[in-house]
Amino acid sequence: EKLNIFFFLLPTSFLKKKNMSDNNHTTAHAGDIIIDYEEDSYRKQSQEFFRDLPHNIQEYVLSLFPIATWIHRYNLHWLVRDLIAGATVGVVIVPQSMGYAKIAQLPPQYGLYTAFVGLCVYCLFATSKDISIGPTAVMSLLVGQTVTRITSVNEDITGPQIAVALSLLTGAIAMFIGLVRLGILVDFIPGPAIAGFMTGSAITITIGQCPKLFGIKTVSTQDSSYLIFGNFFKHLPDTKLDVAFGLSGMVWLYGVRFGCQYLTKRYPKYTTQLFFISIMRNGVLVIFATLIAFLMNIGKTVSPISILKTVPPGFQAMHVPNISTDLISAVASSLPSGVIILILEHVAISKSFGRINDYTIDPNQEIIAIGFTNIWAAFFGAYPSTGSFSRTAIKARSGVKTPIAGIFSAIIVLLALYALTPAFYFIPDATLAAVVIHAVADLVSGPSYIKRLGKVSLWELFVFVAGVVITFFTTVEYGIYASVGLSIIILLFRIARPRFWSLGRIPLSSSTGTIQPTSESKGEQNETQNYLYVPQNHPSLGKLVESLPAGILMCRIDESFTYPNSGYIADRIIGYCKEHTRRNAAVLSKGDRAWNDDANPVRDAARANLPRLHALIIDFASVNRLDSSGLQAIVDAQNALNRYAGHHVEFHFSNILHPAIRKSLIVSGFANQPRAGFEDELEANEKEILPIVPVSKDGPIQRQPTSHTSAPANNDGIEEVIDTHYAQDSKETKTIFDEESVRTAHSIFLPRDRYPFFHWSADEAVRTAFSSIDNRPEEGSTTALDQTNVVPQH
């Protein structure tokens, strides 16, 4: 919507054809700021759309490959930093990938397949330099639970087939969401829901790895978490030698981590060296544990501990995915939760590190990137991959400069696949379990987060707890559905039942300004009392609040006025008005009274001292949207209050935020309501050509007559004022609208709408409503309601 500035081009002789009223609400004096909006037609919008379509298509295609915008600036310094960061992440991701593959109920090489494809493909579509793509704990848990569920009822479908199908289908869905720019859907899932199922998943993974950590083989790790937890302690006497590798590995990992953190604070100048020592702890642990396991197995046919055993070299599972209808129907129930995890983890991590490192990511482009990565990964036999928080943090701390660092990490994984697979044979399972437990511990939300969440909102704390508990006792799928579903229900409830405030006012210091000179007033001083409008039950200012003038009420709705809450808000408005005013004095007989008329003579007699309702002011400061249902609800509320008051009740609207809301109110007739004593005003507003406020980048420019120009008392002077203020010389115009003149004129010439029922301030609304109270027909008049027109149905 654009402000209509046709006033600058309009011949001034047009203004002389209409005698303007001397009434304060319709007179357009020099210096008045009258606001109106130019209606933007659908035809004009369509023409602009098709005119810009080729340019928009070109920009859309270029946005799909962000690498084209920065690759030409790539230099040797960036290469060195990317090489260091990529190699560092590669050392970490190799043992993690094999451990996560075990969680996914897949052979360890599938974790390496997943890591390789995610690392080398993502850089083509990336808008985040920090994020590291690959297997993650939560996604691995979902894949593992899906594999267990399907293979238990269908022996013809294997785990790798399920993993490939999930990768292809979730990637295709994610890519479609990104291409059609539906990334906004991610915003409907709040942080507590994400934290809930991720915390529950971390706890589930940790409990599932405990039997491997202690070498207990009699506990099924495919059961629910609470069963694994109970059976673990039940079979604790069956602990094997693996516990030595598991517990020593945990001591080493946490010892190095906390030791390096302590030394970093003690010796800040060695921060970089200590950081690289810290992140090498996973690789060092795996190397030494494998060496010890190899020495233990020399000359033995059966290993005394559980080891990884054969890992096939190269990409043994590379093929075109064979997706049958039976396989699609089997994995269909896991697709929604898989897509949610895929997108949420990736977008949340990339946004977080973008804020930390001062750059902006494109969520839709990131969704395209993660979608294409998983589609391509399906041809390598990989399972779904997404952004990893721990590896992304390592990558960022390593000084990464561009997404190309992922290629160097992929080279490390490729080297491991082709050259190091014989050494993987003796990796202890307990060591991999320790690596996994250490990695997922960072996903658990700490006490400080839970405490802060409880202070902010108990409902959000409930969503978090529900996600954790349901994930722990069932599966990660149900945990996601429960937490997201509860969040959406709470959101809809808040929209459907918004806060409704009855407003009062607090007197502020008065301001003195010069009245505009007219034929009757020669510039005398006028003292204006200003007010602050706040809820009557305000916790701090409630004792200072005083009521509005008798017969005038004001309320505020803290939500958009749309179909979910329209009926509720209308009922609150009607109830609020009836509570503070009395009904029409005319009392109907029992035979004439409507069946739903709740009139009570005793109660009405007790309310006889209350004023009759004259006007209701609705503060639209928090209303961002008004649809047809909300508009009809306002119309119905006014008609009900008209019958209750026995005459037409004026509805005034202040702080209207958007021209579309104003247009809707005009369509419903609220702009042309009848006003007692101002019958000629509507006709004048329809025919009168009003001056329109000019616009600057900072908003409407307030204008004021210069010191040598006085406002005219008749129409002949308006032409002179226009010539003075809107001279063709642009330099002269700039001197008129300087900042100082706007500041000094603020208390005199406030913006006002061309319609008397739309206001820029609550003070203006109250004064306008109060100006017509004395012109009401007598209370006992039988024509009080007949003489006014009820607002038509929308």
Side-chain angles (χ1 to χ4, degrees):
E1 300 284 353
K2 302 174 182 177
L3 280 172
N4 185 350
I5 57 173
F6 69 87
F7 175 70
F8 294 105
L9 306 177
L10 190 67
T12 56
S13 59
F14 278 60
L15 294 174
K16 302 168 69 174
K17 295 181 180 180
K18 173 65 183 175
N19 290 327
M20 298 184 179
S21 170
D22 287 337
N23 184 274
N24 184 42
H25 301 282
T26 58
T27 302
H29 296 296
D32 278 354
I33 299 178
I34 309 298
I35 303 299
D36 205 350
Y37 296 91
E38 176 185 0
E39 186 173 346
D40 207 1
S41 65
Y42 292 114
R43 180 179 180 182
K44 182 179 179 181
Q45 294 177 12
S46 300
Q47 291 174 347
E48 292 179 352
F49 172 77
F50 286 108
R51 183 189 64 201
D52 298 335
L53 186 60
H55 176 70
N56 293 336
I57 292 175
Q58 182 181 5
E59 285 192 343
Y60 176 79
V61 174
L62 290 176
S63 69
L64 296 179
F65 300 96
I67 190 173
T69 63
W70 56 265
I71 190 64
H72 59 278
R73 300 194 303 271
Y74 202 78
N75 53 66
L76 183 61
H77 296 285
W78 291 4
L79 176 64
V80 173
R81 301 301 295 269
D82 286 345
L83 180 61
I84 295 172
T88 303
V89 173
V91 173
V92 175
I93 199 173
V94 170
Q96 280 190 358
S97 298
M98 292 187 289
Y100 288 153
K102 298 287 243 180
I103 298 174
Q105 306 299 321
L106 296 171
Q109 64 267 24
Y110 284 88
L112 296 174
Y113 302 158
T114 305
F116 171 78
V117 180
L119 291 169
C120 68
V121 174
Y122 170 73
C123 67
L124 298 175
F125 307 92
T127 61
S128 170
K129 71 179 181 65
D130 296 304
I131 198 163
S132 176
I133 306 298
T136 62
V138 180
M139 181 58 76
S140 300
L141 178 62
L142 175 65
V143 173
Q145 292 176 344
T146 304
V147 169
T148 301
R149 174 176 58 83
I150 295 175
T151 53
S152 62
V153 297
N154 194 335
E155 297 179 355
D156 296 332
I157 301 177
T158 64
Q161 289 178 325
I162 297 170
V164 169
L166 282 174
S167 180
L168 181 64
L169 296 176
T170 55
I173 295 172
M175 191 168 184
F176 172 78
I177 291 174
L179 288 173
V180 298
R181 298 299 192 251
L182 289 178
I184 189 176
L185 297 176
V186 178
D187 298 333
F188 286 92
I189 303 177
I194 301 172
F197 72 75
M198 291 189 73
T199 299
S201 299
I203 296 173
T204 299
I205 292 170
T206 301
I207 293 174
Q209 293 297 308
C210 284
K212 294 182 180 179
L213 195 72
F214 284 74
I216 303 174
K217 298 180 180 180
T218 52
V219 177
S220 174
T221 57
Q222 300 180 11
D223 294 334
S224 297
S225 299
Y226 69 96
L227 292 176
I228 299 175
F229 186 75
N231 291 329
F232 168 72
F233 286 100
K234 179 180 178 181
H235 295 89
L236 195 59
D238 299 334
T239 300
K240 305 295 183 183
L241 183 60
D242 302 66
V243 69
F245 287 85
L247 293 182
S248 62
M250 294 292 293
V251 171
W252 164 261
L253 291 173
Y254 280 102
V256 173
R257 177 179 180 178
F258 292 127
C260 289
Q261 289 177 355
Y262 171 77
L263 292 175
T264 299
K265 294 179 181 179
R266 183 99 181 238
Y267 305 102
K269 63 180 180 179
Y270 298 112
T271 299
T272 303
Q273 294 88 332
L274 291 170
F275 166 73
F276 284 105
I277 292 174
S278 177
I279 62 175
M280 293 295 292
R281 61 187 182 272
N282 288 301
V284 172
L285 173 64
V286 172
I287 291 172
F288 277 94
T290 304
L291 179 60
I292 295 172
F294 170 74
L295 295 176
M296 290 176 59
N297 282 275
I298 294 177
K300 295 181 182 178
T301 56
V302 179
S303 175
I305 60 173
S306 179
I307 55 177
L308 200 58
K309 296 185 178 179
T310 304
V311 177
F315 294 97
Q316 302 291 330
M318 185 184 297
H319 64 277
V320 177
N322 183 17
I323 309 297
S324 62
T325 54
D326 292 338
L327 184 57
I328 293 175
S329 62
V331 302
S333 61
S334 298
L335 291 179
S337 55
V339 173
I340 291 174
I341 294 175
L342 205 70
I343 295 175
L344 276 185
E345 275 200 274
H346 186 85
V347 174
I349 295 170
S350 57
K351 278 185 176 181
S352 175
F353 281 88
R355 287 192 296 267
I356 293 172
N357 296 317
D358 194 23
Y359 64 88
T360 303
I361 64 115
D362 182 357
N364 288 302
Q365 181 59 30
E366 289 297 317
I367 295 172
I368 292 173
I370 202 68
F372 181 83
T373 298
N374 282 280
I375 292 174
W376 189 247
F379 291 85
F380 286 80
Y383 68 90
S385 61
T386 186
S388 167
F389 180 82
S390 60
R391 295 194 299 270
T392 301
I394 292 173
K395 191 176 178 182
R397 287 284 305 276
S398 300
V400 65
K401 286 297 183 180
T402 70
I404 288 181
I407 294 179
F408 300 115
S409 300
I411 293 175
I412 300 296
V413 177
L414 196 65
L415 178 65
L417 266 171
Y418 280 96
L420 301 179
T421 49
F424 293 160
Y425 185 92
F426 292 102
I427 295 178
D429 284 338
T431 300
L432 288 181
V435 171
V436 170
I437 293 174
H438 180 67
V440 302
D442 293 331
L443 300 179
V444 178
S445 299
S448 59
Y449 175 81
I450 299 173
K451 184 178 180 181
R452 184 173 70 252
L453 201 61
K455 291 182 178 180
V456 172
S457 172
L458 289 177
W459 284 111
E460 292 186 344
L461 178 61
F462 175 69
V463 169
F464 171 82
V465 173
V468 174
V469 172
I470 294 175
T471 301
F472 178 77
F473 283 99
T474 57
T475 63
V476 67
E477 288 182 59
Y478 294 139
I480 292 172
Y481 297 150
S483 57
V484 173
L486 283 173
S487 301
I488 294 176
I489 290 173
I490 293 172
L491 174 64
L492 294 177
F493 182 81
R494 287 173 176 170
I495 293 174
R497 293 295 180 266
R499 293 187 179 95
F500 179 91
W501 305 102
S502 59
L503 302 183
R505 62 184 184 179
I506 300 175
L508 302 177
S509 60
S510 59
S511 61
T512 303
T514 304
I515 299 179
Q516 246 175 226
T518 62
S519 57
E520 290 81 10
S521 65
K522 303 300 182 180
E524 65 270 17
Q525 296 293 315
N526 177 43
E527 185 171 333
T528 303
Q529 176 65 56
N530 297 320
Y531 294 92
L532 173 66
Y533 291 83
V534 298
Q536 292 181 338
N537 58 349
H538 193 281
S540 302
L541 305 175
K543 296 179 180 180
L544 304 175
V545 174
E546 63 181 34
S547 300
L548 273 63
I552 301 176
L553 297 176
M554 182 183 294
C555 63
R556 178 190 298 155
I557 301 114
D558 281 357
E559 188 57 70
S560 292
F561 209 153
T562 53
Y563 67 92
N565 58 30
S566 57
Y568 171 79
I569 295 175
D571 292 341
R572 291 295 303 269
I573 289 175
I574 295 172
Y576 166 61
C577 293
K578 288 185 176 181
E579 181 183 354
H580 293 84
T581 59
R582 56 184 169 87
R583 68 171 56 247
N584 180 26
V587 179
L588 300 176
S589 64
K590 292 182 179 180
D592 294 334
R593 184 176 300 165
W595 68 274
N596 60 345
D597 189 349
D598 60 350
N600 187 317
V602 177
R603 185 181 61 200
D604 290 347
R607 297 164 56 86
N609 293 329
L610 293 176
R612 219 165 31 138
L613 182 62
H614 166 68
L616 174 67
I617 302 168
I618 304 179
D619 187 348
F620 264 42
S622 299
V623 178
N624 296 312
R625 185 171 297 276
L626 177 65
D627 66 0
S628 59
S629 299
L631 197 59
Q632 185 61 49
I634 301 177
V635 172
D636 294 340
Q638 187 177 45
N639 290 334
L641 293 175
N642 288 348
R643 291 188 293 268
Y644 176 79
H647 58 228
H648 176 74
V649 176
E650 297 179 3
F651 269 42
H652 294 259
F653 303 90
S654 66
N655 300 315
I656 298 176
L657 296 178
H658 198 277
I661 299 177
R662 178 180 180 274
K663 177 183 176 182
S664 300
L665 295 172
I666 293 173
V667 169
S668 269
F670 286 104
N672 296 321
Q673 302 173 62
R675 298 187 65 211
F678 298 96
E679 288 78 9
D680 297 333
E681 180 180 334
L682 300 178
E683 181 181 358
N685 277 338
E686 290 299 321
K687 297 179 180 179
E688 172 182 314
I689 299 178
L690 294 171
I692 307 301
V693 63
V695 181
S696 72
K697 65 179 181 179
D698 298 321
I701 301 175
Q702 306 193 29
R703 53 187 173 84
Q704 173 189 8
T706 56
S707 58
H708 62 275
T709 305
S710 60
N714 52 39
N715 292 334
D716 297 334
I718 293 182
E719 189 170 9
E720 178 184 351
V721 173
I722 293 172
D723 293 338
T724 303
H725 285 282
Y726 299 98
Q728 294 183 2
D729 186 359
S730 60
K731 293 183 179 179
E732 181 181 347
T733 304
K734 289 181 180 179
T735 59
I736 292 173
F737 297 124
D738 58 56
E739 183 179 356
E740 184 63 25
S741 64
V742 171
R743 187 183 298 111
T744 56
H746 179 72
S747 61
I748 307 173
F749 305 124
L750 290 176
R752 63 184 180 89
D753 201 284
R754 69 172 298 180
Y755 295 107
F757 296 95
F758 304 147
H759 311 279
W760 281 62
S761 68
D763 260 339
E764 179 195 349
V766 173
R767 292 191 178 98
T768 305
F770 184 75
S771 64
S772 61
I773 287 183
D774 295 337
N775 298 312
R776 284 288 185 194
E778 294 295 330
E779 183 174 322
S781 172
T782 58
T783 61
L785 185 57
D786 299 334
Q787 290 176 353
T788 59
N789 296 322
V790 177
V791 177
Q793 296 288 323
H794 176 58

